[in-house]
Amino acid sequence: MDYHNFLRFEFYSLPVNVGLARVTVAAFAAQLNYTVSELDDIKGAVSEAVSNAIIHGYQGAPDQLVRVTAVVRGDELEIVVEDGGKGIGNLAEALRPGYTSGVERLGLGFSFIRSLMDTLDVQTVPGRGTKVLMTKRAGLPGGHAHAN
Amino acid sequence: MLTVDHRGNTLIARLSGELDLQVADELRTRLDRALDERVTANLVFNLEAVSFVDSSCFGVILGRYKRISGGSGEMVFVSTPPGVRRVLELSGLLRIGREYATEEEALAEMG
């Protein structure tokens, strides 16, 4: 049977918690056979998704909950970042590279996440919240490992 | 997070640490203050001491470039650590600003 592990944590929608979230997920991910640069990719993806939840989902409100779930199934890590915020009105447009939201950031970070992870799925309900699901397999031959 | 150095009409911004949403506002304010202080044509971002950066702070960098680019200024990056280069490439900022190994090299090239 495949190895399974599960982590879930919730925190207030404060910018100070973005770093906490990415470091926590990366520490959890380190049980898989990721290269250092792949762990950096995971940190980047978590950072983008959690920042989106705070800035766009909750519009900067500091006392709302962001939930992060990380699941290990075999050699794959799935990360889910959820907020109960305003949702994304036009998801297709938001997923386009180069989309900018008015806030001085590079788009919504989705094109970043897509490059850093193997898969990305975004589910959103306007007024109800957004769920960002992403996966990355460890130990892929031909991955962009730099340590070998 | 940031120290700045003016060399003629070039602003050298030496960034450090984890550059994410938590520091984005302060980084923007401090860079704008440095740009307000003196007429600046070019921007050099030294990334040597940066351990993490995401699109929150890439947005700040792009925004400062837009401030100087009206005057046909140039933005360059120097001393990019290996762990930062990948996201710097993904950000698209390398299509706007060239990369140099050192500040001296960048300053010499920009004249």
Side-chain angles (χ1 to χ4, degrees), chain A residues 55-70:
Chain A
I55 300 175
H56 301 289
Y58 292 128
Q59 304 281 290
D63 56 352
Q64 302 298 302
L65 286 174
V66 180
R67 178 155 78 178
V68 175
T69 308

Side-chain angles (χ1 to χ4, degrees), chain B residues 6 8 34-35 38 41 44 47 50 53 56 62 71 74 89 100:
Chain B
H6 296 272
L35 289 172
R38 277 200 222 176
V44 176
L47 306 176
V50 173
V53 55
S56 295
L62 182 63
E74 210 181 327
E89 277 168 7
Y100 294 100

Side-chain angles (χ1 to χ4, degrees), chain B:
Chain B
M1 177 203 319
L2 173 71
T3 60
V4 295
D5 200 354
H6 296 272
R7 299 275 178 87
N9 61 1
T10 295
L11 177 71
I12 300 175
R14 301 188 185 100
L15 303 174
S16 61
E18 309 235 319
L19 302 178
D20 66 5
L21 182 62
Q22 195 198 347
V23 302
D25 281 344
E26 192 186 340
L27 180 63
R28 179 185 300 109
T29 304
R30 287 172 60 179
L31 283 170
D32 277 342
R33 198 181 304 143
L35 289 172
D36 289 340
E37 258 169 32
R38 277 200 222 176
V39 177
T40 303
N42 304 308
L43 261 171
V44 176
F45 285 103
N46 185 329
L47 306 176
E48 186 172 11
V50 173
S51 51
F52 178 88
V53 55
D54 68 14
S55 55
S56 295
C57 284
F58 282 137
V60 172
I61 290 174
L62 182 63
R64 291 334 96 200
Y65 170 70
K66 286 178 178 162
R67 273 197 61 171
I68 61 155
S69 61
S72 70
E74 210 181 327
M75 168 177 73
V76 302
F77 300 95
V78 305
S79 306
T80 312
V84 170
R85 168 156 299 107
R86 180 163 153 75
V87 286
L88 184 63
E89 277 168 7
L90 291 177
S91 74
L93 288 175
L94 289 181
R95 290 197 294 269
I96 302 170
R98 280 175 293 171
E99 255 196 303
Y100 294 100
T102 63
E103 288 180 8
E104 289 66 32
E105 209 179 291
L107 290 168
E109 281 292 319
M110 289 191 304

Side-chain angles (χ1 to χ4, degrees), chain A residues 54-107:
Chain A
I54 294 173
I55 300 175
H56 301 289
Y58 292 128
Q59 304 281 290
D63 56 352
Q64 302 298 302
L65 286 174
V66 180
R67 178 155 78 178
V68 175
T69 308
V71 182
V72 169
R73 288 188 200 92
D75 60 0
E76 186 175 78
L77 175 71
E78 180 185 63
I79 304 164
V80 182
V81 176
E82 290 170 89
D83 69 66
K86 71 168 202 162
I88 301 165
N90 189 339
L91 185 60
E93 192 185 353
L95 286 168
R96 262 207 337 258
Y99 169 80
T100 53
S101 53
V103 182
E104 191 178 73
R105 280 180 85 222
L106 296 181

